[in-house]
Amino acid sequence: MNKMNFTNEFYQSINEELFQNILPYWDKYSKDEKNTGFFGKIDNDNVQDAECQRSIVMTSRFLWTYSAVARFTKDAKYLEMADFAYKVIIEKYFDNENDGVYWSIMPDGTPKVDKKQIYGQAFCCYGLSEYAAAIQELKKDEELAATAMNKALDIYNLLENHALDKENGGYIEACAKDWSKTNDMILSPKDMNCPKSMNTNLHVMEAYTNLYRTLPVVFADSKSIQSEVGQSLANLITVTQERIVQKNAHLGMFFDMDWNLLADEISYGHDIEASWLLWEAACELKDEELKEQIRDDVIKMAEVALDEGFDKENGCLENFLLYSTTNPKRDRTRVWWNQAEAMNGFYNAWQMTGNQKYQEACIQQWNWIQNHQVDKTNGEWWSALDQNGTPILAEDKGGNWKTSYHNGRTCLELLRRSQE
């Protein structure tokens, strides 16, 4: 293979993908103006299902993406989408009786699933903190920025008071509507009903990283609360390294309260996503001791994801591996978010090590996305392709799990890093 390098054309193609495909697509198709919300299902012909329930995860991801793009471009036009998402969250998702946000609602705003799923709370905190910073920087609306940031802090405090396992570390999966204990902890039909998961803890870490980063943007006197959030974040980084990352450099997926592993499954997308989110968290804290503590593990996670999960012939990341004593099962589906997070993870590993193999993998991955994952007829990315690159049409183009977040963030993250 000839050596590949990041060129101006590489970054320009990423810029075009974000601003000419991803963002315009969701601007055009995601908003349900009639019911003031976002459609919970959009098929591959871009037909929206107005009756489908809507999730806090989806809505918060739109809030974060457009707030982050507004901050990056310093262009307030992207706040129109963010303002819409914020309005939806405030008016329809907040539980004014018990605090926190509902997991999902019906189009008319009636709660559909009212339990307090911690994954959803984390994404709401993530989106609110980014929105608050965007409002402060672009609109200079101190009152609105403070309101949004205080709501993010309210969620942070709820998680610390009700979801944090103060004995074993990390965060549980869910609480009941009133924040009491519940046995209904399952995140989605693809997940296990268990007390703790990698996925929830990974995204609490992501949310706390963003909260820590944006607090000083909104509050000049944030040192005390920022320090508190920083300590929660540092504790979660350590728990992730010591409990979730396994000796084989893969993430464990599902756990009991004592962090005993409950399933022997490898998710390559989560492995590579966690590698860069872990490093981002430690870097944001500017904790050199913590960075040194996790550095080798972060690089090893990216290395193993490349060696075991990356299809080097085609340039794309495979989905997962299920172990069993007799018949290991490899899922070779090319899922959109796996491909996006591979870009971030390999780029980050290249920046950390200077190793050419990560640069080449990142470029290969982008070529796969451009040649196969992008839907050049109806816009955005195919949710999933088979191993031959054929779209799996049973998977919707958009909805409660697929928004502007993974691929929009990838483009934004690489553009941002290219300017450092």
Side-chain angles (χ1 to χ4, degrees), residues 68-120:
V69 171
R71 295 185 70 198
F72 177 76
T73 61
K74 298 180 174 56
D75 190 337
K77 74 179 182 182
Y78 294 106
L79 284 178
E80 293 178 10
M81 184 75 142
D83 289 339
F84 184 80
Y86 180 72
K87 175 183 173 67
V88 174
I89 289 173
I90 297 304
E91 293 183 357
K92 296 192 172 184
Y93 283 95
F94 267 94
D95 181 346
N96 294 318
E97 179 181 353
N98 299 289
D99 297 322
V101 288
Y102 301 122
W103 175 247
S104 64
I105 61 172
M106 295 306 294
D108 64 1
T110 305
K112 174 65 174 177
V113 178
D114 59 13
K115 65 176 176 174
K116 300 303 164 30
Q117 197 78 37
I118 305 309
Y119 186 102

Tab-separated table of all heavy atoms in Angstrom, residues 68-120:
chain	number	residue	atom	x	y	z
A	68	ALA	N	-23.067	22.706	18.849
A	68	ALA	CA	-21.624	22.553	18.633
A	68	ALA	C	-21.206	23.144	17.291
A	68	ALA	O	-20.150	23.796	17.193
A	68	ALA	CB	-21.235	21.079	18.708
A	69	VAL	N	-22.011	22.938	16.249
A	69	VAL	CA	-21.694	23.511	14.938
A	69	VAL	C	-21.767	25.033	14.990
A	69	VAL	O	-20.914	25.728	14.412
A	69	VAL	CB	-22.644	22.958	13.857
A	69	VAL	CG1	-22.474	23.716	12.535
A	69	VAL	CG2	-22.382	21.473	13.641
A	70	ALA	N	-22.745	25.564	15.701
A	70	ALA	CA	-22.843	27.018	15.846
A	70	ALA	C	-21.597	27.578	16.533
A	70	ALA	O	-21.050	28.609	16.111
A	70	ALA	CB	-24.097	27.383	16.638
A	71	ARG	N	-21.121	26.898	17.550
A	71	ARG	CA	-19.923	27.365	18.253
A	71	ARG	C	-18.689	27.266	17.358
A	71	ARG	O	-17.838	28.156	17.370
A	71	ARG	CB	-19.697	26.541	19.527
A	71	ARG	CG	-20.767	26.696	20.578
A	71	ARG	CD	-20.395	25.932	21.839
A	71	ARG	NE	-19.263	26.577	22.509
A	71	ARG	CZ	-18.492	25.978	23.415
A	71	ARG	NH1	-18.700	24.699	23.709
A	71	ARG	NH2	-17.509	26.628	23.980
A	72	PHE	N	-18.594	26.196	16.595
A	72	PHE	CA	-17.427	25.991	15.735
A	72	PHE	C	-17.376	27.021	14.608
A	72	PHE	O	-16.320	27.595	14.314
A	72	PHE	CB	-17.449	24.579	15.152
A	72	PHE	CG	-16.322	24.287	14.205
A	72	PHE	CD1	-15.041	24.052	14.672
A	72	PHE	CD2	-16.546	24.259	12.831
A	72	PHE	CE1	-13.994	23.794	13.798
A	72	PHE	CE2	-15.508	23.995	11.944
A	72	PHE	CZ	-14.227	23.766	12.429
A	73	THR	N	-18.513	27.262	13.976
A	73	THR	CA	-18.561	28.186	12.845
A	73	THR	C	-18.743	29.634	13.277
A	73	THR	O	-18.546	30.542	12.472
A	73	THR	CB	-19.724	27.830	11.906
A	73	THR	OG1	-20.963	27.928	12.636
A	73	THR	CG2	-19.574	26.412	11.355
A	74	LYS	N	-19.169	29.825	14.522
A	74	LYS	CA	-19.540	31.148	15.032
A	74	LYS	C	-20.671	31.754	14.199
A	74	LYS	O	-20.743	32.964	14.005
A	74	LYS	CB	-18.320	32.088	15.079
A	74	LYS	CG	-17.219	31.598	16.006
A	74	LYS	CD	-16.032	32.535	16.025
A	74	LYS	CE	-14.999	32.120	17.069
A	74	LYS	NZ	-14.532	30.734	16.904
A	75	ASP	N	-21.546	30.877	13.747
A	75	ASP	CA	-22.674	31.275	12.906
A	75	ASP	C	-23.971	30.935	13.628
A	75	ASP	O	-24.308	29.760	13.815
A	75	ASP	CB	-22.601	30.539	11.573
A	75	ASP	CG	-23.595	31.084	10.550
A	75	ASP	OD1	-24.598	31.699	10.967
A	75	ASP	OD2	-23.373	30.870	9.346
A	76	ALA	N	-24.704	31.966	14.017
A	76	ALA	CA	-25.911	31.785	14.822
A	76	ALA	C	-27.055	31.131	14.061
A	76	ALA	O	-28.037	30.705	14.684
A	76	ALA	CB	-26.379	33.133	15.378
A	77	LYS	N	-26.928	30.994	12.732
A	77	LYS	CA	-28.036	30.369	12.001
A	77	LYS	C	-28.242	28.919	12.426
A	77	LYS	O	-29.362	28.403	12.349
A	77	LYS	CB	-27.795	30.448	10.494
A	77	LYS	CG	-26.736	29.514	9.937
A	77	LYS	CD	-26.598	29.663	8.428
A	77	LYS	CE	-25.571	28.699	7.852
A	77	LYS	NZ	-25.399	28.859	6.393
A	78	TYR	N	-27.171	28.269	12.895
A	78	TYR	CA	-27.309	26.880	13.329
A	78	TYR	C	-28.030	26.773	14.680
A	78	TYR	O	-28.449	25.683	15.063
A	78	TYR	CB	-25.942	26.210	13.393
A	78	TYR	CG	-25.311	26.076	12.025
A	78	TYR	CD1	-24.257	26.897	11.634
A	78	TYR	CD2	-25.804	25.160	11.106
A	78	TYR	CE1	-23.697	26.804	10.359
A	78	TYR	CE2	-25.260	25.066	9.823
A	78	TYR	CZ	-24.212	25.886	9.468
A	78	TYR	OH	-23.673	25.788	8.205
A	79	LEU	N	-28.170	27.897	15.357
A	79	LEU	CA	-28.897	27.877	16.625
A	79	LEU	C	-30.402	27.784	16.424
A	79	LEU	O	-31.133	27.506	17.372
A	79	LEU	CB	-28.557	29.124	17.456
A	79	LEU	CG	-27.196	29.102	18.148
A	79	LEU	CD1	-26.959	30.396	18.901
A	79	LEU	CD2	-27.086	27.912	19.100
A	80	GLU	N	-30.878	27.989	15.200
A	80	GLU	CA	-32.317	27.857	14.965
A	80	GLU	C	-32.770	26.432	15.273
A	80	GLU	O	-33.797	26.222	15.925
A	80	GLU	CB	-32.644	28.235	13.513
A	80	GLU	CG	-32.416	29.701	13.198
A	80	GLU	CD	-32.693	30.036	11.746
A	80	GLU	OE1	-33.243	29.165	11.028
A	80	GLU	OE2	-32.361	31.157	11.329
A	81	MET	N	-32.001	25.455	14.807
A	81	MET	CA	-32.316	24.051	15.084
A	81	MET	C	-32.124	23.755	16.567
A	81	MET	O	-32.928	23.035	17.185
A	81	MET	CB	-31.421	23.147	14.240
A	81	MET	CG	-31.717	21.658	14.373
A	81	MET	SD	-33.210	21.158	13.501
A	81	MET	CE	-32.689	19.555	12.878
A	82	ALA	N	-31.061	24.305	17.144
A	82	ALA	CA	-30.793	24.084	18.570
A	82	ALA	C	-31.886	24.702	19.432
A	82	ALA	O	-32.327	24.099	20.417
A	82	ALA	CB	-29.426	24.655	18.932
A	83	ASP	N	-32.330	25.884	19.071
A	83	ASP	CA	-33.412	26.538	19.817
A	83	ASP	C	-34.676	25.687	19.781
A	83	ASP	O	-35.391	25.556	20.792
A	83	ASP	CB	-33.725	27.916	19.223
A	83	ASP	CG	-32.644	28.952	19.488
A	83	ASP	OD1	-31.849	28.772	20.434
A	83	ASP	OD2	-32.588	29.945	18.728
A	84	PHE	N	-34.955	25.110	18.622
A	84	PHE	CA	-36.137	24.251	18.470
A	84	PHE	C	-36.020	23.031	19.373
A	84	PHE	O	-36.965	22.665	20.091
A	84	PHE	CB	-36.265	23.835	17.000
A	84	PHE	CG	-37.487	23.020	16.693
A	84	PHE	CD1	-38.724	23.611	16.518
A	84	PHE	CD2	-37.398	21.638	16.567
A	84	PHE	CE1	-39.855	22.855	16.216
A	84	PHE	CE2	-38.509	20.862	16.272
A	84	PHE	CZ	-39.745	21.478	16.095
A	85	ALA	N	-34.844	22.399	19.367
A	85	ALA	CA	-34.635	21.207	20.207
A	85	ALA	C	-34.739	21.556	21.687
A	85	ALA	O	-35.317	20.790	22.479
A	85	ALA	CB	-33.272	20.592	19.904
A	86	TYR	N	-34.189	22.690	22.064
A	86	TYR	CA	-34.255	23.127	23.468
A	86	TYR	C	-35.699	23.335	23.896
A	86	TYR	O	-36.108	22.898	24.982
A	86	TYR	CB	-33.451	24.414	23.637
A	86	TYR	CG	-33.445	24.961	25.038
A	86	TYR	CD1	-32.721	24.342	26.060
A	86	TYR	CD2	-34.163	26.121	25.358
A	86	TYR	CE1	-32.706	24.859	27.360
A	86	TYR	CE2	-34.162	26.643	26.650
A	86	TYR	CZ	-33.429	26.010	27.642
A	86	TYR	OH	-33.420	26.514	28.935
A	87	LYS	N	-36.479	23.975	23.053
A	87	LYS	CA	-37.893	24.216	23.345
A	87	LYS	C	-38.630	22.899	23.557
A	87	LYS	O	-39.421	22.768	24.505
A	87	LYS	CB	-38.525	24.998	22.186
A	87	LYS	CG	-40.031	25.217	22.280
A	87	LYS	CD	-40.537	25.947	21.035
A	87	LYS	CE	-42.056	26.029	21.007
A	87	LYS	NZ	-42.600	26.890	22.088
A	88	VAL	N	-38.350	21.926	22.695
A	88	VAL	CA	-39.005	20.618	22.807
A	88	VAL	C	-38.643	19.958	24.136
A	88	VAL	O	-39.515	19.414	24.836
A	88	VAL	CB	-38.604	19.710	21.629
A	88	VAL	CG1	-39.161	18.300	21.823
A	88	VAL	CG2	-39.087	20.289	20.309
A	89	ILE	N	-37.371	19.984	24.501
A	89	ILE	CA	-36.936	19.344	25.743
A	89	ILE	C	-37.569	20.013	26.955
A	89	ILE	O	-38.097	19.330	27.854
A	89	ILE	CB	-35.397	19.377	25.849
A	89	ILE	CG1	-34.780	18.414	24.823
A	89	ILE	CG2	-34.937	19.000	27.262
A	89	ILE	CD1	-33.275	18.490	24.736
A	90	ILE	N	-37.552	21.324	26.991
A	90	ILE	CA	-38.081	22.051	28.148
A	90	ILE	C	-39.583	21.847	28.284
A	90	ILE	O	-40.104	21.627	29.389
A	90	ILE	CB	-37.755	23.554	28.036
A	90	ILE	CG1	-36.247	23.779	28.057
A	90	ILE	CG2	-38.426	24.338	29.159
A	90	ILE	CD1	-35.528	23.209	29.258
A	91	GLU	N	-40.292	21.900	27.165
A	91	GLU	CA	-41.758	21.859	27.226
A	91	GLU	C	-42.325	20.449	27.327
A	91	GLU	O	-43.409	20.256	27.885
A	91	GLU	CB	-42.344	22.547	25.983
A	91	GLU	CG	-42.072	24.048	25.941
A	91	GLU	CD	-42.721	24.724	24.737
A	91	GLU	OE1	-43.329	24.007	23.906
A	91	GLU	OE2	-42.620	25.959	24.637
A	92	LYS	N	-41.579	19.434	26.830
A	92	LYS	CA	-42.194	18.116	26.705
A	92	LYS	C	-41.488	16.994	27.465
A	92	LYS	O	-42.122	15.994	27.789
A	92	LYS	CB	-42.305	17.737	25.227
A	92	LYS	CG	-43.227	18.669	24.443
A	92	LYS	CD	-43.561	18.124	23.081
A	92	LYS	CE	-44.627	18.968	22.407
A	92	LYS	NZ	-45.058	18.416	21.103
A	93	TYR	N	-40.213	17.139	27.714
A	93	TYR	CA	-39.481	16.011	28.307
A	93	TYR	C	-39.230	16.151	29.799
A	93	TYR	O	-39.064	15.141	30.490
A	93	TYR	CB	-38.142	15.808	27.589
A	93	TYR	CG	-38.271	15.127	26.249
A	93	TYR	CD1	-38.341	15.876	25.077
A	93	TYR	CD2	-38.352	13.743	26.147
A	93	TYR	CE1	-38.464	15.261	23.839
A	93	TYR	CE2	-38.467	13.115	24.910
A	93	TYR	CZ	-38.530	13.886	23.768
A	93	TYR	OH	-38.650	13.270	22.550
A	94	PHE	N	-39.168	17.355	30.307
A	94	PHE	CA	-38.865	17.503	31.735
A	94	PHE	C	-40.039	17.066	32.592
A	94	PHE	O	-41.182	17.434	32.336
A	94	PHE	CB	-38.469	18.947	32.062
A	94	PHE	CG	-36.987	19.169	32.017
A	94	PHE	CD1	-36.379	19.630	30.865
A	94	PHE	CD2	-36.194	18.874	33.122
A	94	PHE	CE1	-35.007	19.827	30.819
A	94	PHE	CE2	-34.825	19.056	33.079
A	94	PHE	CZ	-34.224	19.530	31.927
A	95	ASP	N	-39.728	16.278	33.595
A	95	ASP	CA	-40.716	15.807	34.565
A	95	ASP	C	-40.765	16.844	35.683
A	95	ASP	O	-39.923	16.850	36.576
A	95	ASP	CB	-40.295	14.437	35.099
A	95	ASP	CG	-41.285	13.866	36.102
A	95	ASP	OD1	-42.155	14.616	36.587
A	95	ASP	OD2	-41.170	12.670	36.413
A	96	ASN	N	-41.739	17.718	35.630
A	96	ASN	CA	-41.799	18.831	36.581
A	96	ASN	C	-42.178	18.395	37.987
A	96	ASN	O	-42.010	19.153	38.938
A	96	ASN	CB	-42.783	19.889	36.076
A	96	ASN	CG	-42.308	20.550	34.793
A	96	ASN	OD1	-41.134	20.863	34.643
A	96	ASN	ND2	-43.221	20.746	33.851
A	97	GLU	N	-42.675	17.182	38.117
A	97	GLU	CA	-43.038	16.664	39.441
A	97	GLU	C	-41.866	15.956	40.113
A	97	GLU	O	-41.608	16.148	41.309
A	97	GLU	CB	-44.217	15.699	39.317
A	97	GLU	CG	-44.653	15.100	40.648
A	97	GLU	CD	-45.811	14.140	40.498
A	97	GLU	OE1	-46.373	14.030	39.384
A	97	GLU	OE2	-46.167	13.472	41.504
A	98	ASN	N	-41.140	15.150	39.353
A	98	ASN	CA	-40.083	14.317	39.933
A	98	ASN	C	-38.668	14.729	39.538
A	98	ASN	O	-37.697	14.171	40.034
A	98	ASN	CB	-40.295	12.863	39.509
A	98	ASN	CG	-41.622	12.316	39.994
A	98	ASN	OD1	-41.811	12.079	41.179
A	98	ASN	ND2	-42.557	12.126	39.063
A	99	ASP	N	-38.547	15.690	38.611
A	99	ASP	CA	-37.262	16.159	38.082
A	99	ASP	C	-36.669	15.154	37.101
A	99	ASP	O	-37.076	13.994	37.030
A	99	ASP	CB	-36.268	16.462	39.206
A	99	ASP	CG	-36.735	17.587	40.108
A	99	ASP	OD1	-37.324	18.549	39.588
A	99	ASP	OD2	-36.525	17.494	41.334
A	100	GLY	N	-35.689	15.606	36.360
A	100	GLY	CA	-35.111	14.794	35.308
A	100	GLY	C	-35.996	14.788	34.071
A	100	GLY	O	-36.978	15.543	33.978
A	101	VAL	N	-35.663	13.942	33.105
A	101	VAL	CA	-36.402	13.901	31.842
A	101	VAL	C	-36.928	12.496	31.570
A	101	VAL	O	-36.334	11.504	31.978
A	101	VAL	CB	-35.513	14.359	30.662
A	101	VAL	CG1	-35.283	15.859	30.726
A	101	VAL	CG2	-34.176	13.621	30.627
A	102	TYR	N	-38.062	12.451	30.889
A	102	TYR	CA	-38.636	11.172	30.481
A	102	TYR	C	-37.763	10.534	29.401
A	102	TYR	O	-37.091	11.216	28.627
A	102	TYR	CB	-40.044	11.369	29.917
A	102	TYR	CG	-41.017	12.001	30.874
A	102	TYR	CD1	-41.670	13.189	30.542
A	102	TYR	CD2	-41.294	11.418	32.110
A	102	TYR	CE1	-42.584	13.774	31.411
A	102	TYR	CE2	-42.203	11.999	32.988
A	102	TYR	CZ	-42.837	13.182	32.638
A	102	TYR	OH	-43.728	13.760	33.505
A	103	TRP	N	-37.820	9.219	29.305
A	103	TRP	CA	-37.076	8.509	28.266
A	103	TRP	C	-37.712	8.744	26.891
A	103	TRP	O	-37.016	8.993	25.913
A	103	TRP	CB	-37.045	7.018	28.591
A	103	TRP	CG	-36.412	6.165	27.542
A	103	TRP	CD1	-37.038	5.230	26.760
A	103	TRP	CD2	-35.041	6.144	27.148
A	103	TRP	NE1	-36.134	4.629	25.910
A	103	TRP	CE2	-34.892	5.177	26.134
A	103	TRP	CE3	-33.906	6.842	27.562
A	103	TRP	CZ2	-33.680	4.891	25.516
A	103	TRP	CZ3	-32.695	6.564	26.943
A	103	TRP	CH2	-32.588	5.600	25.945
A	104	SER	N	-39.038	8.693	26.820
A	104	SER	CA	-39.693	8.919	25.527
A	104	SER	C	-41.086	9.482	25.742
A	104	SER	O	-41.682	9.342	26.809
A	104	SER	CB	-39.768	7.619	24.710
A	104	SER	OG	-40.579	6.656	25.353
A	105	ILE	N	-41.578	10.133	24.668
A	105	ILE	CA	-42.912	10.725	24.696
A	105	ILE	C	-43.620	10.385	23.389
A	105	ILE	O	-42.993	10.002	22.404
A	105	ILE	CB	-42.857	12.255	24.859
A	105	ILE	CG1	-42.103	12.890	23.680
A	105	ILE	CG2	-42.227	12.638	26.197
A	105	ILE	CD1	-42.147	14.405	23.637
A	106	MET	N	-44.919	10.548	23.385
A	106	MET	CA	-45.697	10.445	22.162
A	106	MET	C	-45.689	11.811	21.467
A	106	MET	O	-45.327	12.822	22.085
A	106	MET	CB	-47.124	9.980	22.468
A	106	MET	CG	-47.194	8.562	23.042
A	106	MET	SD	-46.361	7.329	22.007
A	106	MET	CE	-47.403	7.364	20.534
A	107	PRO	N	-46.095	11.866	20.201
A	107	PRO	CA	-46.056	13.140	19.483
A	107	PRO	C	-46.794	14.286	20.175
A	107	PRO	O	-46.396	15.448	20.030
A	107	PRO	CB	-46.708	12.797	18.138
A	107	PRO	CG	-46.362	11.361	17.926
A	107	PRO	CD	-46.439	10.742	19.300
A	108	ASP	N	-47.848	13.971	20.920
A	108	ASP	CA	-48.596	15.039	21.601
A	108	ASP	C	-47.964	15.459	22.920
A	108	ASP	O	-48.486	16.330	23.618
A	108	ASP	CB	-50.046	14.619	21.838
A	108	ASP	CG	-50.183	13.425	22.783
A	108	ASP	OD1	-49.147	12.922	23.285
A	108	ASP	OD2	-51.323	12.987	23.029
A	109	GLY	N	-46.833	14.838	23.268
A	109	GLY	CA	-46.127	15.210	24.490
A	109	GLY	C	-46.447	14.348	25.689
A	109	GLY	O	-45.842	14.501	26.752
A	110	THR	N	-47.366	13.413	25.541
A	110	THR	CA	-47.681	12.488	26.623
A	110	THR	C	-46.501	11.541	26.863
A	110	THR	O	-45.979	10.962	25.906
A	110	THR	CB	-48.917	11.640	26.274
A	110	THR	OG1	-49.997	12.501	25.953
A	110	THR	CG2	-49.300	10.742	27.442
A	111	PRO	N	-46.063	11.390	28.118
A	111	PRO	CA	-44.947	10.463	28.371
A	111	PRO	C	-45.279	9.047	27.909
A	111	PRO	O	-46.369	8.543	28.187
A	111	PRO	CB	-44.775	10.526	29.893
A	111	PRO	CG	-45.325	11.854	30.287
A	111	PRO	CD	-46.473	12.099	29.339
A	112	LYS	N	-44.367	8.431	27.191
A	112	LYS	CA	-44.530	7.048	26.750
A	112	LYS	C	-43.802	6.112	27.706
A	112	LYS	O	-44.382	5.181	28.241
A	112	LYS	CB	-44.000	6.888	25.325
A	112	LYS	CG	-43.978	5.454	24.800
A	112	LYS	CD	-45.356	4.860	24.672
A	112	LYS	CE	-45.280	3.483	24.007
A	112	LYS	NZ	-46.605	2.838	23.925
A	113	VAL	N	-42.502	6.352	27.911
A	113	VAL	CA	-41.704	5.631	28.907
A	113	VAL	C	-41.190	6.674	29.879
A	113	VAL	O	-40.358	7.508	29.528
A	113	VAL	CB	-40.536	4.869	28.253
A	113	VAL	CG1	-39.700	4.175	29.316
A	113	VAL	CG2	-41.054	3.868	27.229
A	114	ASP	N	-41.705	6.626	31.109
A	114	ASP	CA	-41.421	7.718	32.040
A	114	ASP	C	-40.321	7.402	33.055
A	114	ASP	O	-40.018	8.222	33.925
A	114	ASP	CB	-42.689	8.165	32.775
A	114	ASP	CG	-43.343	7.042	33.580
A	114	ASP	OD1	-42.710	5.977	33.782
A	114	ASP	OD2	-44.496	7.224	34.016
A	115	LYS	N	-39.708	6.214	32.937
A	115	LYS	CA	-38.615	5.907	33.865
A	115	LYS	C	-37.417	6.807	33.572
A	115	LYS	O	-37.299	7.398	32.500
A	115	LYS	CB	-38.216	4.439	33.771
A	115	LYS	CG	-37.614	4.018	32.428
A	115	LYS	CD	-37.143	2.561	32.459
A	115	LYS	CE	-36.646	2.101	31.107
A	115	LYS	NZ	-36.056	0.745	31.134
A	116	LYS	N	-36.516	6.888	34.535
A	116	LYS	CA	-35.349	7.744	34.417
A	116	LYS	C	-34.152	6.893	33.961
A	116	LYS	O	-33.359	6.421	34.781
A	116	LYS	CB	-35.082	8.455	35.749
A	116	LYS	CG	-36.263	9.325	36.197
A	116	LYS	CD	-36.628	10.347	35.150
A	116	LYS	CE	-37.972	11.010	35.271
A	116	LYS	NZ	-38.594	11.223	36.518
A	117	GLN	N	-34.084	6.675	32.653
A	117	GLN	CA	-32.965	5.928	32.067
A	117	GLN	C	-31.733	6.829	32.095
A	117	GLN	O	-31.746	7.922	31.538
A	117	GLN	CB	-33.300	5.512	30.634
A	117	GLN	CG	-32.425	4.414	30.074
A	117	GLN	CD	-32.817	3.029	30.585
A	117	GLN	OE1	-34.006	2.752	30.762
A	117	GLN	NE2	-31.840	2.172	30.824
A	118	ILE	N	-30.673	6.385	32.731
A	118	ILE	CA	-29.517	7.251	32.973
A	118	ILE	C	-28.831	7.643	31.666
A	118	ILE	O	-28.324	8.766	31.537
A	118	ILE	CB	-28.528	6.566	33.942
A	118	ILE	CG1	-29.261	6.171	35.236
A	118	ILE	CG2	-27.358	7.485	34.248
A	118	ILE	CD1	-30.076	7.276	35.889
A	119	TYR	N	-28.837	6.765	30.689
A	119	TYR	CA	-28.297	7.072	29.368
A	119	TYR	C	-28.985	8.320	28.788
A	119	TYR	O	-28.331	9.214	28.238
A	119	TYR	CB	-28.528	5.856	28.479
A	119	TYR	CG	-27.924	5.886	27.099
A	119	TYR	CD1	-26.754	5.187	26.817
A	119	TYR	CD2	-28.552	6.549	26.049
A	119	TYR	CE1	-26.217	5.160	25.525
A	119	TYR	CE2	-28.029	6.540	24.768
A	119	TYR	CZ	-26.864	5.847	24.510
A	119	TYR	OH	-26.344	5.825	23.234
A	120	GLY	N	-30.286	8.387	28.908
A	120	GLY	CA	-31.037	9.532	28.412
A	120	GLY	C	-30.766	10.795	29.202
A	120	GLY	O	-30.654	11.900	28.632
